[in-house]
Amino acid sequence: MELLANLGIGFSAALDPTNLLYCFVGVLLGTLVGVLPGIGPTATIAMLLPITFSFEPVTALIMLAGIYYGAQYGGSTTAILINLPGESSSAVTAIDGYEMAKQGRAGPALATAALGSFFAGTVATLILAVAAPPLARAALNFGAPEYFSLIVLGLLASIALAHGSVLKALAMIVLGLLLGMVGQDIYTGTPRFTFGFFELYSGINFVSVAVGVFGVAEILRNLEHETTRDVLVKKVENLWLTKDDFKRIIAPVLRGTALGSVLGILPGGGHVLSSFASYSLEKRVSKHPETFGKGAIEGVAGPESANNAGAQTSFIPMLTLGIPAHPVMALMIGAFIIQGITPGPNVINDEPILFWGIIVSMWVGNLMLVLLNLPLIGLWVKLLTIPYKVLFPAIIAFACIGCYSINLNVFDVYAIVVFGFIGYLLVKLGCEPAPLLLGFVLGPLLEEHLRRAMIISRGDPMIFVERPISAVLLACAVAAVIVAVLPSVRKKREEVFVEDD
């Protein structure tokens, strides 16, 4: 009964005309950035954060969430039509989806992606609604040592799912933690690492870092590798499935949904991992594995369901613990902070309309996406022909204006330029910027809980291992690092993410 009452609160918020409108705007923008390769939800949300500053908190977060899971839908369109994933988690969809398109079955492939994603999103949203309250209640019993250990676990576990070198991922986390320390000391107010710039006394602007490292750096990288995009299918027909197709996709959709719901909670990129894991699973259990890579509809149904389920369940640690599972969730935490809300287990009690409104809006948004995507396929096909050199100046100008509007400070715009080049340099050096953003967001929380725990224990670091929950979390963190550096695991990570580069 309590769940039904909470969902009633959520529906009243999600179906508010204003929130409904911005949910629609969010999923439409998300589909758009998913369709246009090279932009992505991370950069888009980073650039739209300044605009949401003037919105009501629930409206802002509903729109930003819509952009994220909308991009999961849109990414499959380019993966199927032109063999170019618009979103990293859609990379595996291109393997069989593009082959289906070449065989004249682009319509069924797109319909499979849309229906599988809707089912998975619905189930994952229900899991989120059921699992979030007890997890938030359990988190209320956490003290400073437990939170410190939880953040350490989140940061180190993200290494196992990062691209490339474990050492480079760890270095990015450390760099993010150092950037998060810029500003005044949280207890004494003493300036740290400000280099005489008064603008840095309140810390580095989160939006500047996010827009620079993800938005500008991604644009520079795409300009370097821009190619002419040839759309395979000018007109998509038969946007529905045959009876045989329905039979073939039921089991993969169910398995993909279950797999994605579990793996999506993992820090670092569980939604990406889940799509690759689903494809491997479907190929292994199939009676005809030789058809995979040649247009098997199961190779579209399973991964698309898995990545969308993973996208939804990745909200669980963010909403209940205040711990981001990946960069997009870090941006969502930034949106919470911009709105003056402290992310964590208290949100469910302090802001029930916001909490349940976001959850219910996910189901509403998924329904909108099914109704939007298939009828608008023709529009998305036309958008794929827009040259990237036409898009990027408008994107950068929009991002700079938005960032300036938050504090009316030109220093923040200069910071975008600096972090844009830093982000581009990191990419060229083979360093993934995602752990940097996680470290930057979680750094101040890590420091605060560390110092609070040390005050409680009067300087005795044994408090972190004497408290059972804290000790278990630290043990898991150590295990995550050990597992990440094992040769067999390292080889598997390279195989999983090679399609994504």
Side-chain angles (χ1 to χ4, degrees), residues 304-326:
E304 277 299 305
S305 302
N307 82 51
N308 205 264
Q312 310 284 41
T313 56
S314 65
F315 280 83
I316 291 176
M318 189 275 290
L319 286 173
T320 59
L321 303 173
I323 303 297
H326 49 76

Side-chain angles (χ1 to χ4, degrees), residues 468-487:
I469 296 177
S470 176
V472 170
L473 292 171
L474 286 177
C476 292
V478 173
V481 176
I482 292 173
V483 168
V485 298
L486 289 175

Side-chain angles (χ1 to χ4, degrees), residues 13-77:
L15 297 180
D16 176 84
T18 302
N19 295 338
L20 207 57
L21 172 63
Y22 281 101
C23 180
F24 175 80
V25 171
V27 297
L28 186 64
L29 280 174
T31 305
L32 178 63
V33 302
V35 166
L36 294 174
I39 303 176
T42 307
T44 305
I45 292 174
M47 290 184 284
L48 287 176
L49 268 180
I51 292 179
T52 63
F53 182 70
S54 60
F55 292 178
E56 287 294 319
V58 65
T59 304
L61 288 156
I62 282 175
M63 188 184 84
L64 295 176
I67 292 171
Y68 172 51
Y69 55 79
Q72 311 302 315
Y73 276 75
S76 63
T77 301

Side-chain angles (χ1 to χ4, degrees), residues 298-478:
E298 296 89 346
V300 175
E304 277 299 305
S305 302
N307 82 51
N308 205 264
Q312 310 284 41
T313 56
S314 65
F315 280 83
I316 291 176
M318 189 275 290
L319 286 173
T320 59
L321 303 173
I323 303 297
H326 49 76
V328 172
M329 291 301 108
L331 291 169
M332 294 293 287
I333 284 182
F336 270 91
I337 295 170
I338 287 174
Q339 294 289 345
I341 299 170
T342 302
N346 288 316
V347 172
I348 192 171
N349 295 320
D350 297 344
E351 303 283 347
I353 295 176
L354 170 68
F355 186 90
W356 292 104
I358 292 173
I359 290 177
V360 172
S361 75
M362 292 180 190
W363 183 82
V364 175
N366 273 281
L367 182 60
M368 286 182 179
L369 283 164
V370 172
L371 299 176
L372 268 177
N373 270 354
L374 298 181
L376 294 181
I377 288 295
L379 175 61
W380 305 138
V381 169
K382 290 179 181 178
L383 285 173
L384 289 171
T385 62
I386 298 176
Y388 194 72
K389 62 184 179 182
V390 174
L391 290 173
F392 87 86
I395 295 171
I396 290 182
F398 180 73
C400 291
I401 293 170
C403 187
Y404 175 78
S405 67
I406 294 180
N407 298 317
L408 300 179
N409 190 345
V410 72
F411 186 86
D412 294 339
V413 179
Y414 294 146
I416 290 178
V417 177
V418 172
F419 283 104
F421 282 107
I422 290 175
Y424 178 69
L425 180 63
L426 292 176
V427 170
K428 298 299 288 184
L429 292 174
C431 298
E432 190 186 4
L436 184 152
L437 188 64
L438 293 178
F440 179 72
V441 171
L442 294 176
L445 292 172
L446 185 74
E447 180 190 6
E448 180 182 352
H449 291 301
L450 171 63
R451 295 176 68 172
R452 190 178 294 171
M454 297 303 286
I455 290 171
I456 293 171
S457 67
R458 298 185 179 182
D460 183 6
M462 293 302 293
I463 190 174
F464 297 108
V465 294
E466 289 173 349
R467 297 176 68 147
I469 296 177
S470 176
V472 170
L473 292 171
L474 286 177
C476 292
V478 173

Side-chain angles (χ1 to χ4, degrees), residues 184-259:
Q184 291 177 298
D185 185 281
I186 56 175
Y187 286 107
T188 66
T190 305
R192 304 178 303 187
F193 308 116
T194 58
F195 303 101
F197 290 100
F198 178 75
E199 292 87 352
L200 291 177
Y201 273 42
S202 58
I204 299 174
N205 187 307
F206 170 79
V207 177
S208 297
V209 175
V211 173
V213 169
F214 285 97
V216 175
E218 187 71 11
I219 286 170
L220 292 174
R221 189 174 71 85
N222 281 299
L223 285 174
E224 186 180 52
H225 299 291
E226 186 187 9
T227 56
T228 303
R229 298 191 289 266
D230 295 320
V231 180
L232 176 67
V233 183
K234 299 297 182 183
K235 186 177 180 181
V236 179
E237 299 177 337
N238 301 322
L239 277 170
W240 200 242
L241 302 173
T242 65
K243 189 175 181 179
D244 180 59
D245 288 335
F246 269 114
K247 287 182 179 179
R248 291 174 62 186
I249 71 169
I250 290 174
V253 166
L254 292 174
R255 286 190 289 262
T257 299
L259 196 60

